[in-house]
Amino acid sequence: MKIEEKSISALRALSIDMIEKAGSGHPGMPLGVAPAVYALYRNVLKANPSNANFFDRDRVVFSAGHCSALVYSVLHCCGYNLTMEDLQSFRQYGSKTPGHPEVYVTEGVDCGSGPLGQGFATAVGIALGEKMLAGRYNKEDCKLVDHYTYVFMGEGCLMEGISYEAASLAGRWGLNKLIAIYDCNKVSIDGNTDISFTEDVEGRFTSQGWRVDKVETINDYEGVTKALVNAKQSDKPTLIIVKSVIGYGSELQGLNKVHGSPLKGEQVVNTKKALGYDYPPFTVPSEVYEDFAALKQRGEKAEKEYNEKLEYYKKHYESEYNEFIARQNEVDLTNDFDFATTVDMSGRDVGNKVLNHFASRNIAITGGTADLASSTKAVITGGGNFVDDKVGRNLHFGVREFAMAAITNGLSLHGGFIPFCSTFFVFSDYMRNAIRMAALMETKSLFLLSHDGIEVGEDGPTHQPIEQLVSLRAMPNVDMFRPGNSKEVYAAYQSAISSNHPTVIALAKSKLAQCDANLEDCLKGAYVLSDEGEAVGTIIATGTEIALALAAQKALKQQGVQVKVVSAPCLDLFDRQDEEYKNSVLPKTQKNVLAVEAGATLGWYKYLNGTGRVIGIDKFGASAKSKDIYAHEGITIENIVNTFIQMMKDNA
Amino acid sequence: MKIEEKSISALRALSIDMIEKAGSGHPGMPLGVAPAVYALYRNVLKANPSNANFFDRDRVVFSAGHCSALVYSVLHCCGYNLTMEDLQSFRQYGSKTPGHPEVYVTEGVDCGSGPLGQGFATAVGIALGEKMLAGRYNKEDCKLVDHYTYVFMGEGCLMEGISYEAASLAGRWGLNKLIAIYDCNKVSIDGNTDISFTEDVEGRFTSQGWRVDKVETINDYEGVTKALVNAKQSDKPTLIIVKSVIGYGSELQGLNKVHGSPLKGEQVVNTKKALGYDYPPFTVPSEVYEDFAALKQRGEKAEKEYNEKLEYYKKHYESEYNEFIARQNEVDLTNDFDFATTVDMSGRDVGNKVLNHFASRNIAITGGTADLASSTKAVITGGGNFVDDKVGRNLHFGVREFAMAAITNGLSLHGGFIPFCSTFFVFSDYMRNAIRMAALMETKSLFLLSHDGIEVGEDGPTHQPIEQLVSLRAMPNVDMFRPGNSKEVYAAYQSAISSNHPTVIALAKSKLAQCDANLEDCLKGAYVLSDEGEAVGTIIATGTEIALALAAQKALKQQGVQVKVVSAPCLDLFDRQDEEYKNSVLPKTQKNVLAVEAGATLGWYKYLNGTGRVIGIDKFGASAKSKDIYAHEGITIENIVNTFIQMMKDNA
């Protein structure tokens, strides 16, 4: 047996060993796609197993994350920090080898995946990151940033809408260093893909500005290698359609049953026999390790060359060098923002000013909108448009919220970016799972979403978020901000760019409250905004409703009722404060807590100590003038006052 | 001026009058696309303004919902139940003319829209409904179901991923009676669409199995009419690319500024002048009404013919006739389900049995999965696959959750269906805004989602829902079920098929509790599952956690602590019960309420009376054996017992 074939068989054998031992997993794709993964890692990829995070490495995304066993197998064989014991702990609690690839858990995994289609879109973001950095920093005599992004995908990814959105943008942006390998086995969970997927994939990608190549059989690893090498010369992104057989070598090959059920006992033995791989479970002969060592040799050489380039660059282009390094590591939070300039401004306008404040100090800040720049105002003034300016920092994502969010995550994963994206808050629905993946992958993604409630007005219920606030507050590892004054907007952005997880900022279309606050307070997520003495209760509000709360406070005072007003721009952040602080803002013994927010009430009871009330909206909004909807829904000073007084009586 | 031109100008003029009066709205598209809308309504459409819901009418979907002013204008001119006063109340509270089209609000609106791309996908569902009914009921001598579905879309819709997903399925299903009109003005909110959208739309649709036609200028209304007539003969779905000019006739024509800002004063006057339309605001000359009356004449004739066909059909195909009528109006809830057959079954398996129980009695039940039939088990046994059997009731949506959900909504909107769709619960994220649209449109859509929590196990956090339960509970007008025993599963399906809004049912991958319950109780959303006497507190749980709650109840009893166990399969439904019932299940004065659910805790405080606790998960899950994750997250009998006892002490 040729060493190449033995190495490929090793990947296949390890994968099914892992899956058999775990008693769960997906053997179909690893058995099918191993030769292409071999071709990439053994022959083409620039990466260094000794330093998995080497900055100018090629990135690899397994968008079909169910091939995780194969991913870990190849990483192990290539000498990444993944032992045979790790492989044997596949899918066990706390292991480095979870069921779907997770970044930060496994060295060498550049992107988490599992939800289909999204890995591909994230790869587009990674490739975009490379192109943007190359556009900004590369010089005639020094290509400082110069790597490829490879992505493996199957029919499942190709069927998802996000893959078309992302492919369209990759075509538009001319991401020629993006190379997608389509594992074309024509089988998905429910059977032959023809039952639901008969489109002409070549025509589809060609129509979106891609180059398409084909390899007739995936076992032709030399053909795959050649296709990969050719793709690197393309001036367009390339899709390599590689025909494969799901579950290759097993008795179930070609059948959907082999997708997600472990091969067992005899099946495993027979598969290895069919592959001519005559070794005990979890055994890799030394010549296979030696074969895969080619990656490490190339990678160490590449890293050495990169470091030399860095030195050269530092010498000849010092300021660019400093910027390049800083953007990967530092965040400038200098606060000389002139809050006086934000008087009487809408949330989105303040957002624009604050974004630009930080963007002017942090070149890493880069992003764009889903065809809503003029509405959400998430634009870097003078930042240029990337599409016609290679150093442009503003992106036009088109009306593609989901891909936009995944691409934003990709920019963050690439490194060197604090990426943002923007649309109307209600359309966070469209990108929801990409926000979730950002949270899981701990990317520093900023989701800047304007038009934060029924204040949207005439555009009506399809454009008015109701349940989105509580929905995102409930999502782990995401900070959901809804700022109500300029300081809170500032705090939201500061928190976002300095944290190590994603942040959603919901900005009002309309004017914010004109009330000052302490930046430090705002950064605690909730704080006492106004306390006029011995209070009998508290009104807690967010966003534009803090103005109503303050007005109600005044009106109540005229009736001899003194209340505190708490503003809560970010309950996630508040929840993470120490008990002492939390108790100082919202004492657990406090009766008469009234929450006011123009959104679903469900999440508020946590803060009401059992005796409080909440004024919110548990139905869809309406197409009408904003003030009319507020009035109809009882989000008014009058209703706050009356509700508070009634609550006091009931609690007395 | 030719009458055709005058009628088209009337649509344009009315639209800008409405928008000017409202002070908000989108003039760009109405001015641009009016001739195509004219061509359709005046010359081609089969619909009856006197009976907007005539069953065999052609359906029209305005996927670009921001053209609402034009929609209302043409409905008014055609004689639908929409007065000039209605047009003058455009975008005002409670009017029949909201900012984006809403079903049930305006007669003649077949589908709500606003979130881009979704109207198109819903139209695919409507066209599918026609084809499925035609396949089942049409006879050689009587084409009982025989209508077209038209959909208007712009670049915004075309950029959204859902449009590709839906187009791919329309091509696969050969929906030749679906005709999409692409208003190709090459302008979106941020400017020329070339900044983000340069794909070859013709190539794209051709690759997805569509016929593509073109009309060089939209003002060639005769050309558009011809293209529509030709499209009706196609054996594939047709996309008609119609080149247009956004804001046609206004001084801003061709510019993105005219998309969403009202024309004002002089601008309106000048636009009408340019159109040669010399009438005061909100004025339509009688000859225009007479021109549009052609629709009504065709429609009344068509309805008469349809009624004759119905009579004929009734006479010759009585049983089919009865089925056809019943499926539009009745739901058979006969309960002879043998619960004994569900012993020791998983939630998804019980779901399958219950689905089939109801499907055998209700031919209207139709649906499918996003390539997960074998996993979610949402399959009608013996129901046939539509893709190779024209009377098949099972659909293969491929891995396209978002389009699947919108298509499901479309089936419901069409009438004659109780449609379901299915995937893993975590991927409700992908279809979230379509669930929201279902809620807004009050469609009877069933979202059957299995793998309802960390019990998913080894597939890891990308596949484990955490925040999805609370997120969907917070969505208005949706019932979110998480059943924990067979009765509750049955109740969930019964409620779903007999309600007038969408239902989400989250089903366990694993075994349900073996405890009986009263169906009537289950249908109240929450009920006392076990009450062993003088209780000092309550454990409230959902889904598979009710088994843990019951076991904890036992363990507590051994320690001399008597508690009640409440099962809450649907908190939305429970919230709608009267106060007396609610108080009987969860008294407001009850101390020591402990909620247990393997999901985000945020929504539970509402039920804890200020003194309760919640055991849940506020971080992402893990890839591990299900029992290991439960143990690590403290969703265990032991932790429930300990937490309860600690809570009692703290509350004492």
Side-chain angles (χ1 to χ4, degrees):
Chain A
M1 190 190 285
K2 286 206 224 167
I3 179 63
E4 293 91 337
E5 286 166 7
K6 192 181 271 190
S7 294
I8 292 167
S9 294
L11 297 180
R12 286 171 159 149
L14 277 180
S15 298
I16 58 175
D17 284 343
M18 291 166 67
I19 294 164
E20 186 189 26
K21 182 159 197 305
S24 84
H26 302 81
M29 186 170 170
L31 287 173
V33 85
V37 169
Y38 172 79
L40 176 64
Y41 277 80
R42 166 63 181 81
N43 298 332
V44 181
L45 193 71
K46 177 173 78 172
N48 185 0
S50 321
N51 179 12
N53 295 321
F54 150 47
F55 192 74
D56 201 43
R57 73 190 182 281
D58 292 339
R59 270 55 166 190
V60 189
V61 177
F62 293 88
S63 188
H66 49 273
C67 70
S68 57
L70 177 61
V71 177
Y72 306 134
S73 297
V74 77
L75 292 177
H76 168 79
C77 289
C78 289
Y80 282 83
N81 182 15
L82 208 62
T83 64
M84 196 58 90
E85 289 67 42
D86 290 325
L87 301 194
Q88 287 166 344
S89 317
F90 183 50
R91 296 182 148 238
Q92 303 311 304
Y93 199 93
S95 80
K96 283 193 203 168
T97 48
H100 288 83
E102 297 180 31
V103 280
Y104 305 128
V105 169
T106 319
E107 282 182 28
V109 169
D110 290 319
C111 177
S113 56
L116 293 175
Q118 244 185 110
F120 174 70
T122 312
V124 169
I126 294 173
L128 172 66
E130 195 271 350
K131 196 178 179 84
M132 293 185 92
L133 291 183
R136 186 162 196 102
Y137 297 103
N138 284 3
K139 305 288 180 183
E140 281 282 310
D141 60 341
C142 186
K143 284 196 173 181
L144 187 59
V145 181
D146 185 19
H147 64 80
Y148 290 82
T149 302
Y150 299 93
V151 53
F152 285 88
M153 62 200 301
E155 277 88 4
C157 290
L158 285 169
M159 291 191 238
E160 290 285 5
I162 190 174
S163 69
Y164 302 81
E165 290 182 355
S168 190
L169 283 168
R172 178 64 190 91
W173 290 332
L175 301 181
N176 59 306
K177 293 167 89 172
L178 174 67
I179 299 169
I181 299 106
Y182 163 27
D183 169 37
C184 176
N185 61 30
K186 302 280 262 169
V187 170
S188 66
I189 294 175
D190 282 355
N192 189 295
T193 51
D194 281 350
I195 58 173
S196 62
F197 185 67
T198 49
E199 60 190 44
D200 163 17
V201 174
E202 181 175 359
R204 158 185 165 180
F205 274 81
T206 304
S207 78
Q208 293 191 313
W210 285 57
R211 172 180 170 271
V212 177
D213 195 3
K214 289 181 192 172
V215 178
E216 279 311 311
T217 166
I218 205 163
N219 287 323
D220 173 16
Y221 52 86
E222 285 167 342
V224 177
T225 301
K226 211 169 131 190
L228 291 168
V229 170
N230 287 342
K232 290 174 67 171
Q233 307 310 316
S234 170
D235 59 353
K236 297 176 177 178
T238 294
L239 178 77
I240 305 174
I241 303 177
V242 190
K243 289 204 181 140
S244 76
V245 177
I246 193 170
Y248 180 81
S250 74
E251 62 189 55
L252 299 172
Q253 79 172 29
L255 300 176
N256 55 334
K257 279 172 71 174
V258 77
H259 162 80
S261 302
L263 299 170
K264 283 171 193 163
E266 279 298 294
Q267 290 177 316
V268 173
V269 171
N270 290 340
T271 303
K272 289 189 194 169
K273 209 171 276 172
L275 297 171
Y277 192 77
D278 190 19
Y279 296 93
F282 293 105
T283 305
V284 175
S286 58
E287 62 269 31
V288 166
Y289 286 123
E290 282 157 25
D291 185 34
F292 277 109
L295 173 70
K296 190 166 174 175
Q297 284 153 24
R298 274 200 317 277
E300 287 179 344
K301 183 160 168 279
E303 187 172 3
K304 189 161 162 279
E305 285 167 5
Y306 174 71
N307 288 332
E308 286 162 9
K309 267 201 268 187
L310 261 185
E311 280 307 306
Y312 176 88
Y313 196 87
K314 183 178 183 178
K315 199 178 294 172
H316 294 81
Y317 306 102
E318 197 186 341
S319 70
E320 289 97 324
Y321 172 86
N322 290 337
E323 183 185 290
F324 178 70
I325 297 299
R327 71 183 292 155
Q328 295 175 45
N329 305 297
E330 295 164 23
V331 179
D332 181 350
L333 297 179
T334 309
N335 181 1
D336 54 5
F337 187 77
D338 183 1
F339 285 94
T341 63
T342 63
V343 173
D344 233 24
M345 267 190 184
S346 72
R348 53 183 168 154
D349 280 315
V350 180
N352 170 277
K353 275 188 117 42
V354 174
L355 174 66
N356 276 287
H357 165 80
F358 285 115
S360 70
R361 279 158 189 78
N362 295 278
I363 192 73
I365 295 180
T366 304
T369 79
D371 194 39
L372 281 174
S374 52
S375 291
T376 72
K377 320 243 179 171
V379 178
I380 300 175
T381 310
N385 289 323
F386 175 69
V387 82
D388 43 37
D389 174 2
K390 67 177 185 168
V391 300
R393 295 165 70 187
N394 292 299
L395 294 161
H396 288 289
F397 289 105
V399 192
R400 304 178 180 97
E401 297 82 5
F402 196 8
M404 170 174 78
I407 289 168
T408 299
N409 297 343
L411 285 173
S412 178
L413 288 173
H414 182 280
F417 294 94
I418 300 174
F420 68 86
C421 66
S422 179
T423 181
F424 289 154
F425 186 37
V426 78
F427 298 128
S428 60
D429 283 0
Y430 273 55
M431 51 200 224
R432 192 168 168 84
N433 200 264
I435 301 177
R436 191 175 208 260
M437 285 304 292
L440 253 167
M441 298 193 294
E442 297 175 17
T443 62
K444 191 184 282 198
S445 304
L446 275 62
F447 302 98
L448 310 179
L449 308 175
S450 76
H451 294 58
D452 72 345
I454 51 169
E455 48 126 26
V456 165
E458 289 94 336
D459 274 343
T462 57
H463 283 55
Q464 292 165 359
I466 294 289
E467 71 280 18
Q468 280 70 13
L469 283 168
V470 61
S471 299
L472 286 160
R473 284 175 187 143
M475 189 181 279
N477 215 22
V478 176
D479 284 344
M480 173 72 242
F481 276 90
R482 185 176 186 241
N485 60 33
S486 301
K487 276 280 169 51
E488 293 179 5
V489 175
Y490 189 93
Y493 282 76
Q494 175 173 324
S495 173
I497 66 172
S498 49
S499 81
N500 53 8
H501 52 250
T503 302
V504 180
I505 305 178
L507 294 163
K509 175 193 177 193
S510 50
K511 282 185 190 173
L512 294 182
Q514 298 304 315
C515 56
D516 202 16
N518 224 313
L519 184 58
E520 266 182 42
D521 285 345
C522 299
L523 285 166
K524 286 185 170 142
Y527 62 97
V528 179
L529 175 64
S530 171
D531 188 357
E532 303 198 335
E534 284 304 297
V536 295
T538 298
I539 303 175
I540 178 167
T542 76
T544 44
E545 284 77 82
I546 68 172
L548 298 178
L550 290 170
Q553 181 194 39
K554 249 188 210 164
L556 282 164
K557 198 177 181 182
Q558 284 171 355
Q559 300 188 35
V561 178
Q562 300 221 134
V563 303
K564 239 174 29 173
V565 172
V566 169
S567 180
C570 182
L571 290 165
D572 301 292
L573 200 48
F574 179 62
D575 285 350
R576 294 201 298 274
Q577 302 305 314
D578 59 40
E579 288 304 316
E580 190 186 351
Y581 179 76
K582 284 195 275 191
N583 212 44
S584 74
V585 176
L586 273 182
K588 283 198 181 130
T589 53
Q590 173 83 67
K591 264 193 188 174
N592 304 324
V593 179
L594 177 62
V596 182
E597 184 174 75
T601 60
L602 186 57
W604 277 106
Y605 296 88
K606 180 173 180 182
Y607 305 96
L608 304 184
N609 296 331
T611 57
R613 302 265 163 100
V614 49
I615 294 178
I617 309 175
D618 288 319
K619 59 190 187 76
F620 291 113
S623 170
K625 290 187 181 65
S626 172
K627 70 175 172 49
D628 291 344
I629 316 173
Y630 270 88
H632 277 275
E633 297 304 330
I635 321 274
T636 58
I637 299 165
E638 191 189 358
N639 191 39
I640 296 171
V641 168
N642 293 344
T643 304
F644 194 92
I645 287 172
Q646 187 60 49
M647 172 176 65
M648 267 177 62
K649 282 184 194 158
D650 293 345
N651 286 336
Chain B
M1 191 191 281
K2 287 207 222 166
I3 180 61
E4 292 90 337
E5 285 164 9
K6 193 181 270 188
S7 294
I8 292 167
S9 293
L11 297 179
R12 286 171 160 150
L14 277 179
S15 298
I16 59 175
D17 284 343
M18 291 166 68
I19 294 164
E20 186 190 25
K21 183 160 195 304
S24 84
H26 302 81
M29 187 172 170
L31 286 173
V33 86
V37 169
Y38 173 80
L40 176 63
Y41 277 80
R42 167 61 182 81
N43 298 333
V44 181
L45 193 71
K46 176 174 78 171
N48 184 0
S50 321
N51 180 12
N53 295 321
F54 149 47
F55 192 75
D56 201 43
R57 73 189 181 281
D58 293 339
R59 269 59 166 187
V60 189
V61 177
F62 293 88
S63 187
H66 50 272
C67 70
S68 57
L70 177 61
V71 177
Y72 305 135
S73 297
V74 77
L75 292 177
H76 168 78
C77 289
C78 288
Y80 282 84
N81 182 15
L82 208 62
T83 64
M84 196 59 90
E85 289 68 42
D86 291 325
L87 301 194
Q88 287 166 344
S89 317
F90 183 50
R91 296 182 150 238
Q92 303 310 304
Y93 199 93
S95 81
K96 284 193 203 169
T97 48
H100 288 83
E102 297 180 32
V103 280
Y104 305 128
V105 170
T106 318
E107 282 182 26
V109 168
D110 290 320
C111 176
S113 56
L116 294 175
Q118 243 185 112
F120 173 71
T122 314
V124 169
I126 295 172
L128 172 67
E130 195 271 349
K131 196 179 180 86
M132 294 185 92
L133 291 183
R136 185 160 197 103
Y137 298 103
N138 284 3
K139 305 288 179 183
E140 281 283 308
D141 61 341
C142 186
K143 283 197 173 180
L144 187 59
V145 180
D146 186 19
H147 64 80
Y148 290 82
T149 301
Y150 299 94
V151 53
F152 286 87
M153 61 200 303
E155 277 88 3
C157 290
L158 285 169
M159 291 190 238
E160 291 285 5
I162 191 174
S163 69
Y164 302 81
E165 291 181 356
S168 190
L169 283 169
R172 178 64 191 90
W173 290 332
L175 301 181
N176 59 306
K177 292 166 91 173
L178 174 66
I179 299 170
I181 299 108
Y182 163 28
D183 169 37
C184 175
N185 62 29
K186 302 280 262 170
V187 170
S188 66
I189 294 175
D190 282 355
N192 188 296
T193 51
D194 281 349
I195 57 173
S196 63
F197 185 67
T198 48
E199 61 190 43
D200 163 17
V201 173
E202 182 176 359
R204 159 185 164 180
F205 273 81
T206 304
S207 77
Q208 293 192 312
W210 285 57
R211 171 180 170 271
V212 177
D213 196 2
K214 289 181 193 172
V215 178
E216 279 311 310
T217 165
I218 206 163
N219 286 321
D220 173 16
Y221 52 85
E222 287 168 340
V224 176
T225 302
K226 212 169 131 190
L228 291 168
V229 170
N230 287 341
K232 290 174 68 172
Q233 307 311 316
S234 171
D235 59 352
K236 297 176 177 178
T238 294
L239 178 78
I240 305 174
I241 303 176
V242 190
K243 290 204 181 138
S244 76
V245 177
I246 193 169
Y248 180 82
S250 75
E251 62 189 52
L252 299 173
Q253 78 171 30
L255 300 176
N256 56 334
K257 280 173 70 175
V258 77
H259 162 80
S261 303
L263 299 170
K264 283 171 193 165
E266 279 298 294
Q267 290 178 317
V268 173
V269 172
N270 291 340
T271 303
K272 289 189 194 169
K273 209 171 276 171
L275 298 172
Y277 192 77
D278 190 18
Y279 295 94
F282 293 106
T283 305
V284 175
S286 58
E287 62 268 31
V288 166
Y289 286 122
E290 283 157 26
D291 184 34
F292 276 110
L295 173 70
K296 190 165 174 175
Q297 285 154 24
R298 274 201 316 277
E300 288 179 344
K301 183 161 168 280
E303 187 172 5
K304 190 162 161 279
E305 285 167 4
Y306 174 70
N307 289 333
E308 286 162 9
K309 266 200 270 187
L310 261 185
E311 279 307 306
Y312 177 90
Y313 197 86
K314 184 178 182 179
K315 200 178 294 171
H316 294 81
Y317 306 102
E318 197 186 341
S319 71
E320 289 97 323
Y321 172 86
N322 290 336
E323 184 186 291
F324 178 70
I325 297 298
R327 70 183 293 154
Q328 296 174 45
N329 306 297
E330 295 163 22
V331 178
D332 181 351
L333 298 179
T334 309
N335 180 1
D336 54 5
F337 187 78
D338 182 2
F339 286 94
T341 62
T342 63
V343 173
D344 233 25
M345 268 190 184
S346 71
R348 52 183 169 153
D349 280 316
V350 180
N352 170 277
K353 275 188 117 45
V354 175
L355 173 67
N356 276 287
H357 165 80
F358 285 115
S360 70
R361 279 156 189 79
N362 294 278
I363 191 75
I365 294 180
T366 304
T369 79
D371 194 41
L372 281 174
S374 52
S375 292
T376 71
K377 319 243 178 170
V379 178
I380 300 175
T381 310
N385 288 324
F386 175 69
V387 82
D388 43 37
D389 174 3
K390 67 177 184 167
V391 300
R393 294 166 70 186
N394 292 299
L395 294 162
H396 288 288
F397 289 106
V399 192
R400 303 177 181 98
E401 296 82 6
F402 196 9
M404 170 174 79
I407 288 168
T408 300
N409 298 343
L411 284 173
S412 178
L413 287 173
H414 182 280
F417 294 93
I418 299 175
F420 68 85
C421 65
S422 179
T423 181
F424 288 154
F425 186 38
V426 77
F427 299 128
S428 60
D429 282 1
Y430 273 55
M431 50 201 225
R432 191 167 168 84
N433 201 263
I435 302 177
R436 191 175 208 259
M437 285 304 292
L440 254 167
M441 298 194 293
E442 298 175 15
T443 62
K444 192 184 279 198
S445 304
L446 275 63
F447 302 98
L448 310 179
L449 309 175
S450 77
H451 295 58
D452 72 345
I454 51 169
E455 48 126 25
V456 165
E458 290 93 335
D459 275 342
T462 57
H463 283 55
Q464 292 165 359
I466 293 291
E467 71 281 16
Q468 280 70 13
L469 284 167
V470 61
S471 299
L472 286 160
R473 284 176 187 143
M475 190 181 279
N477 214 21
V478 177
D479 283 344
M480 172 71 242
F481 276 90
R482 185 175 186 243
N485 60 34
S486 301
K487 275 282 170 47
E488 293 179 3
V489 175
Y490 189 93
Y493 282 76
Q494 175 172 325
S495 173
I497 68 171
S498 49
S499 80
N500 52 7
H501 53 249
T503 302
V504 180
I505 305 177
L507 294 163
K509 174 192 177 192
S510 50
K511 283 185 189 172
L512 295 182
Q514 297 304 316
C515 56
D516 201 16
N518 226 313
L519 184 57
E520 265 182 43
D521 285 345
C522 299
L523 285 166
K524 288 186 169 142
Y527 62 97
V528 179
L529 175 65
S530 170
D531 188 357
E532 303 199 333
E534 286 303 299
V536 294
T538 297
I539 303 175
I540 178 168
T542 76
T544 43
E545 284 77 82
I546 68 174
L548 298 178
L550 290 170
Q553 181 193 40
K554 249 188 208 164
L556 282 164
K557 199 178 180 182
Q558 286 172 353
Q559 300 188 33
V561 179
Q562 300 222 135
V563 301
K564 242 177 21 176
V565 173
V566 168
S567 181
C570 182
L571 290 166
D572 301 292
L573 201 47
F574 179 61
D575 285 349
R576 295 201 297 274
Q577 302 304 315
D578 59 39
E579 288 304 316
E580 191 187 349
Y581 179 76
K582 283 194 276 191
N583 211 44
S584 75
V585 176
L586 272 183
K588 285 201 177 128
T589 53
Q590 172 84 67
K591 265 191 187 175
N592 304 324
V593 179
L594 177 62
V596 183
E597 184 174 75
T601 60
L602 186 57
W604 277 105
Y605 296 87
K606 181 174 180 181
Y607 305 96
L608 304 184
N609 297 329
T611 56
R613 302 267 163 100
V614 49
I615 294 178
I617 310 176
D618 288 318
K619 60 190 186 76
F620 290 113
S623 171
K625 289 187 181 66
S626 172
K627 68 174 173 50
D628 292 343
I629 317 174
Y630 271 89
H632 277 275
E633 298 304 329
I635 321 277
T636 58
I637 299 165
E638 190 189 359
N639 191 39
I640 296 172
V641 168
N642 293 343
T643 304
F644 194 92
I645 288 173
Q646 186 60 49
M647 171 177 64
M648 267 176 62
K649 283 185 193 158
D650 294 345
N651 286 335

